[in-house]
Amino acid sequence: MTNEPRRLARIVLGLTGGIAAYKAAELVRLLVKAGITVDVVMTEAAQRFITPTTLQALSGRPVLTDLWASGADNGMSHIDLSRGADAIVVAPATADFLAKLAHGHADDLLSTLCSARDCPLFVAPAMNRRMWTNPATRRNVAQLEADGVTVLGPGVGEQACGETGEGRMLEPAEILAALIAWAQPKVLAGRRVLLTAGPTFEAVDPVRGITNLSSGKMGFALAQAAAEAGAAVTLVAGPSSLATPANVTRVDVRSAADMAAAVTAHIDACDVFVAVAAVADYTVAEPSERKRKKDGKPLTLTLAPTVDILAAVAARPDAPFCVGFAAESHDVERLGEEKRRRKKLPLLVANRAQDALGSDDNEVILLDDAGAHPLPRMDKLALARRLVGEIAARMPQLTP
Ligand code: CTP
């Protein structure tokens, strides 16, 4: 287990000859913006789709295209370039280039660099959907994965050829996100994390219900950050249209009772439980099976309390490491600390409900036995990564 992020300061970005090469310009821009030094290497075919000049302007560095005339002092650019690189990323990677890699060919600068590398290799395939499902491509991709190459995507969607299917290169932002995820410290390796996220929905009748403004963003970001940190992650999600983060097992639920049941079903197999969901405290005692008709008179609904999922988990004799959230409209620290003690939690994340619900960023105070630790405002994914570090630091060490 390492607490250090993997270095991602310098990468070699290889372009091969596919129409998605135009997206590489945007990828270079995003990588440079993220503070990463990018050395671009292009195959001959890639230069038919986009010019080295464009990539040179965006990367601010010479673009290399030729194994024989690379301009390196000692003529060993294939070794020099990958030495000191933290990763090689080939985007777009054509079917032909994947075949070359799978068979160890080294007949141009990029394939030579890949075979002489001592750093991780990522490929972002881009091709027609039939080429992607072609048995030879399947074999080559399986071989590359077996060789430790990370295959990013491809995505599904409309293709340049007019067809629709699997084979589109991932979007530049998705490729950057995958690289940043890879670089995260693996502080939760070997841990199993269960989370709740999102709102719940308590039915009044078949078409109406009581819910709240939670978007699920914080819980989904935490699930993502825990998976990036090497944990096996199960996310119990209330109604939310957010995409499931990579390497996360999602269990969709609707009501607070469904959420409690799903947590009970998964709790035995977890070391950490993070309750991020905004769970309804009350449910409709007798939801109508038929759609209610209005009659012009006031309507009284009887609400019955729900189970406090987090308190029930924390009270188990074999309780996992439990983390709670507290959304308070005022007096955040005092009410949060009371909640932490009442629910017997080693760690609680307190925030102002008005700030947190539905927004993209958040400002929280961590509460633990040592006191209150305010964190600066940050976006929810950055906060999630920080919280994962804080959770890992407070957990009992794994015995080797
Ligand atoms: N929680 C839970 N099950 C519930 C209610 C809350 O697991 N039925 C969890 C939430 O996921 C959160 C923490 O308890 O981690 C606190 O939730 P919050 O809504 O802030 O507080 P409540 O316990 O509901 O108390 P109150 O609404 O009175 O502030």
Side-chain angles (χ1 to χ4, degrees):
M1 178 169 84
T2 165
N3 291 357
E4 291 301 314
R6 289 170 175 149
R7 247 179 72 89
L8 191 58
R10 226 200 97 205
I11 69 161
V12 171
L13 176 66
L15 274 68
T16 67
I19 182 62
Y22 81 91
K23 291 190 191 171
E26 174 69 358
L27 179 58
V28 172
R29 198 185 67 79
L30 294 179
L31 289 165
V32 170
K33 201 170 151 209
I36 300 169
T37 301
V38 186
D39 282 311
V40 177
V41 177
M42 299 175 76
T43 63
E44 207 179 317
Q47 295 168 64
R48 294 182 177 255
F49 292 92
I50 183 168
T51 69
T53 316
T54 304
L55 296 155
Q56 183 155 334
L58 289 166
S59 68
R61 296 172 69 81
V63 170
L64 300 181
T65 54
D66 192 340
L67 182 58
W68 306 109
S70 62
D73 289 347
N74 60 1
M76 298 292 274
S77 55
H78 57 295
I79 308 284
D80 287 342
L81 253 193
S82 65
R83 219 181 249 157
D86 301 317
I88 299 180
V89 182
V90 181
T94 58
D96 183 60
F97 194 75
L98 295 180
K100 272 167 88 159
L101 279 181
H103 292 89
H105 289 202
D107 60 357
D108 62 10
L109 180 57
L110 185 57
S111 55
T112 309
L113 266 173
C114 290
S115 66
R117 78 185 191 280
D118 62 357
C119 62
L121 173 60
F122 295 82
V123 293
M127 65 196 74
N128 167 272
R129 66 185 173 94
R130 290 178 207 277
M131 292 173 88
W132 177 247
T133 51
N134 178 292
T137 308
R138 304 280 80 237
R139 280 197 304 277
N140 293 334
V141 170
Q143 183 60 55
L144 289 171
E145 284 177 330
D147 292 346
V149 175
T150 305
V151 180
L152 304 176
V156 180
E158 235 176 73
Q159 303 203 301
C161 52
E163 296 180 15
T164 301
E166 202 177 3
R168 268 171 71 102
M169 189 174 91
L170 289 188
E171 293 303 321
E174 293 174 304
I175 295 175
L176 175 66
L179 294 175
I180 291 175
W182 165 81
Q184 295 309 306
K186 306 300 162 202
V187 288
L188 291 180
R191 310 284 195 174
R192 295 156 305 172
V193 176
L194 179 65
L195 303 106
T196 62
T200 56
F201 181 94
E202 309 303 319
V204 169
D205 70 16
V207 294
R208 304 183 182 96
I210 300 174
T211 186
N212 60 64
L213 289 176
S214 166
S215 62
K217 283 179 197 157
M218 191 66 238
F220 277 62
L222 258 167
Q224 175 180 338
E228 289 171 359
V233 180
T234 304
L235 173 64
V236 177
S240 166
S241 53
L242 294 176
T244 312
N247 303 318
V248 168
T249 305
R250 174 172 180 169
V251 181
D252 281 317
V253 296
R254 200 158 88 145
S255 66
D258 296 342
M259 189 172 272
V263 167
T264 306
H266 291 90
I267 199 69
D268 281 337
C270 84
D271 312 300
V272 184
F273 177 57
V274 191
V276 197
V279 188
D281 292 330
Y282 293 92
T283 187
V284 179
E286 285 175 4
S288 168
E289 277 178 23
R290 294 186 174 190
K291 189 179 166 207
R292 281 180 177 275
K293 292 291 175 195
K294 61 176 178 283
D295 59 10
K297 295 183 194 141
L299 169 67
T300 305
L301 290 173
T302 304
L303 301 182
T306 56
V307 171
D308 189 320
I309 303 170
L310 175 58
V313 170
R316 290 167 67 105
D318 56 348
F321 186 87
C322 286
V323 182
F325 273 68
E328 308 293 348
S329 57
H330 62 286
D331 238 343
V332 174
E333 188 176 322
R334 184 178 62 79
L335 294 175
E337 181 56 16
E338 277 176 24
K339 203 168 275 182
R340 187 181 82 85
R341 288 177 191 272
R342 194 167 64 242
K343 301 199 188 198
K344 299 194 172 54
L345 308 174
L347 181 61
L348 184 131
V349 184
N351 53 216
R352 270 167 44 90
Q354 309 87 301
D355 284 355
L357 285 181
S359 77
D360 287 332
D361 53 11
N362 199 357
E363 186 175 340
V364 304
I365 305 176
L366 302 186
L367 300 169
D368 63 10
D369 286 341
H373 318 275
L375 298 184
R377 174 168 285 278
M378 51 187 124
D379 74 69
K380 285 184 174 171
L381 185 55
L383 176 61
R385 290 183 177 137
R386 172 73 187 265
L387 290 176
V388 159
E390 299 283 348
I391 292 168
R394 287 169 172 81
M395 287 188 66
Q397 291 296 307
L398 283 177
T399 40

